[in-house]
Amino acid sequence: MSAPATPNPNAPRSTFPFAEFVGIRFGSILIAVGFAFLLQVVGSGLTDFMQRILVMSALYVTLAVSLNLINGICGQFSIGHAAFWQVGAYSTTYLSFFYYEKSFAQGLWWLAMMIVVGALLAGLAGIIVGLPSLRLRGDYLAVVTLGFGEILRIISVNVEFKKPGGTDTVGGSYGMNVTPTFMQIWPSILLAILCVAVCRNLLKTHHGLSYLAVREDEIASSAMGVNTSKVKVGAFVLGSMFAGAAGVLFAHYNSFVNPDMFRMDVSFVILTMVVLGGTGSITGSVFAAILLNAVPELLRLVKNPDGTAGTITLAAMLAGGIGIIAMIVCLRQIKTKFFGTAGKRVGLNLATVFGAFVLMSILNLIFRNFPSLVATSNPVEQLRMVIFAITLITLMMLRPQGVFAHHEFSWTWVRGLFDPAKRRQGKAVEG
Amino acid sequence: MAFGSSFLAELSFNFSTLPSQLANGILLGAIYALVALGYTMVYGVLRLINFAHGEVYMLGAYVALFVTWMFGYRPGSDMSLHGQGSVVHLAVMLVASMVVCAIIGMIIEFFAYRPMRSQPRIAALITAIGVSLLLQYGGQLVLPTRPQPTITESVNPYRESSVRLPIVPAKKELQEKANTALANAEEATKAWEQLKPSVKDEYNLTPDERKVKDAFMQADRTAKQAQREADTSGVMVILSIGQIAILAMSIVLMIILRTIVLKTKVGRAMRAVSHDFDTAGLMGINVGAIITLTFVIGSALAGAGAMMTATFMATSISPFYGVLPGIKAFVAAVLGGIGNIPGAVVGGLLMGIAESLVKWVGYSAYADAVAFVVLIIVLLFRPGGLMGSDKVEKV
């Protein structure tokens, strides 16, 4: 009986495909840089407002992905990510205030230097926060990270520095200007790409696998020889370094910082991006960061028919609220009680959403007749955080594992979508 | 915070104000403890950090405000109509805040947390953050914010009186000086009061009238100055009636809570659920009802705390009124060992005292940060909180 030809394990392995290895890596770097500059070229044609959305989305992608490294990939529950962001932003602000004028590095060189310095300082903060994580777990660790952020914020509110011999001060609750301004788009995009690439590639290394092991079971991984202390602090340091770099870019882009920009809410927003995208999924974090940053901002563009800034009446808000509650209740019912085919389920869901919108319009038409409900109207842009909150609650109710759950984007999956043979095969396996 | 900021004239260790500041710290701690109880009870039962608890607190303050408006203390209304306020008004405010907060807590639990019960904890936590943001920013759309409302002081009938507990009596000659100055001031006040009805134009006084008014103001100032000097020569704890009411009410509420938890059947069920969720259900306890009850009690306590701070400390109310007290109370709960009811009280008191000590030293700007510093230090040495269990996890 002849066994099928199995490759001989002792045979010499084929030579390392050096050209392919280098080519793929250089190719991806080129593509990344090219993408950043493409966005720069395209973006510089847009309005300042749209450019800002673009840059902030990229910065939030960096923040969300780096928090995902701590929270989702290493499993340490940190909810104070804005602190590291602040460390980056404030370190460059202070240093620029004191040293930019007499520095040898001007312009972009200064920015590059500050990114490194900011990242290092934020990494130091990451060590400080990461060390308690060796002793604390779960909610206790979460509170310490939150508290660290608050301590930093309160210190930054109260501390003011004066230039020796000068009168200008830096720091304090009113905030301060950041002297060299860099309004380009590409540094933020490049940083976001770098962050995503590092996190993605990390997961394919020995080091990254130990992160996952600690997330899944700390005690078991420790028994398997993983140095859990090193891993936990390492995750904090790496995550906070990216946040610090993003803070540097933010300070120089915004050219103004104040302590209120780094409140707990911001940490919660970043955490929300991670969870909404799917804890542990880098794709999810990217997706959620762009969505949650851009969509509420775009509400500012909503205009009334007469061209003034958009307003919304109490009647419309009430109708919307009732419609959304009805929609959530119905969708949850479908999710738990309906056992038909996938196609029917999707159809039912779509019908529910459509029905909710119809209900909202009808209710709005009814409520409009009550003068007390139409008397006051609020600017639409005030609704931003409300919509944010509603999105959060809705998604947690309907898909608590996040949009992408633990899945990652992969080209194989995309190829599978366009390959009828594979699709049929997949169906056959499912059936 | 409104508390104690008037004591902060000097940046030093002024031991004559230390007892007062400690008393302030205990009062502040009592409020933190009341709010922390809500966090810790919910955590004990559901293992959920109820981030919306601070917003329940905020709504409690608004309810108290609306009740005062119902009684006619609206800004711009004629304050003389309802006179000096009454205890009945205060009691109605307290009960209304507690009841409405309890209902709000129940609604939040029913709509937001109940569907999340079978989900991973982080999903429930994110929902809690979502509810908190919704209440803050939704409140900004719906609730009165501009001008920032405050509960008028005239609702408190005893706002003028205070209790003075001398620990070290004031120097005799200074006290006598203060007494005579006070008598002078009273005389001058009487003279001005008599003259007042006959004054035609209050902003354009005749020289004679001006003289009387100046004398009255001067005497008043001297009397206050002398009294202050006398006070600082001794050690005295000065408490307003409102502060005493806060302390008494908090103690009463905590005793009621303790009785409920330790002595009643419901309390036993509550303890069982917090001990083991599933087994308690198997033993015939209606877990859902117990969880609802936990939210109701916790929210009612937060409502009481909010009503008392908003009324007796006259802080201005906004939709973000609950953020800082909420987070500090949460820290207090963690400090004491989250899930542990006596721990929450201890943590709250400790935080209140730490905060007012920092204010006493003169770093009032850092008072909000000290809570977290204390927390981090305590957690480094006792990772499970002061009274919590710090079990080492084993396989």
Side-chain angles (χ1 to χ4, degrees), chain A residues 59-98:
Chain A
L59 291 179
Y60 269 111
V61 165
T62 317
L63 289 169
V65 172
S66 59
L67 181 64
N68 197 359
L69 187 71
I70 303 173
N71 257 5
I73 294 172
C74 193
Q76 300 304 303
F77 193 26
S78 160
I79 54 176
H81 211 52
F84 305 121
W85 198 26
Q86 182 178 17
V87 170
Y90 265 67
S91 55
T92 186
T93 309
Y94 286 144
L95 290 173
S96 304
F97 177 76
F98 285 114

Side-chain angles (χ1 to χ4, degrees), chain A residues 77 135-137 139-140 143 146-147 150 154 158-159 219 265 275 317 332 382-383 385 389 392 396-397 400, chain B residues 43 111-112 116 119 121 125 127 130 134 137 141 327 330 338 365-366 368-369 372 375 380-381 383-384 393 395:
Chain A
F77 193 26
R135 267 175 77 75
L136 303 173
R137 60 191 68 231
D139 299 325
Y140 290 98
V143 183
L146 193 71
E150 277 298 285
I154 292 165
N158 289 303
V159 172
I219 295 163
D265 303 22
V275 177
M317 286 198 300
R332 270 189 71 83
Q382 273 192 12
L383 279 181
M385 288 307 283
L392 212 62
M396 283 300 114
M397 296 267 168
Chain B
Y43 189 90
F111 280 107
M116 306 306 295
Q119 304 297 349
R121 282 178 48 208
L125 182 86
T127 314
L134 183 65
Y137 289 94
L141 293 178
I327 207 77
F330 170 51
I338 194 158
Y366 293 94
D368 292 340
F372 298 103
L375 173 87
L380 281 182
F381 292 103
E393 199 175 311
V395 181

Side-chain angles (χ1 to χ4, degrees), chain B residues 27 30-31 34 87 90 94 156 158 163 239-253 304 307-309 311-312:
Chain B
L27 292 166
I31 299 284
L34 275 186
V87 184
L90 291 176
L94 184 71
N156 178 5
Y158 304 110
V163 174
L239 295 172
S240 69
I241 296 289
Q243 290 175 319
I244 292 175
I246 290 178
L247 192 61
M249 203 60 220
S250 318
I251 292 174
V252 168
L253 287 173
M307 176 266 163
M308 292 193 292
T309 24
T311 311
F312 296 128

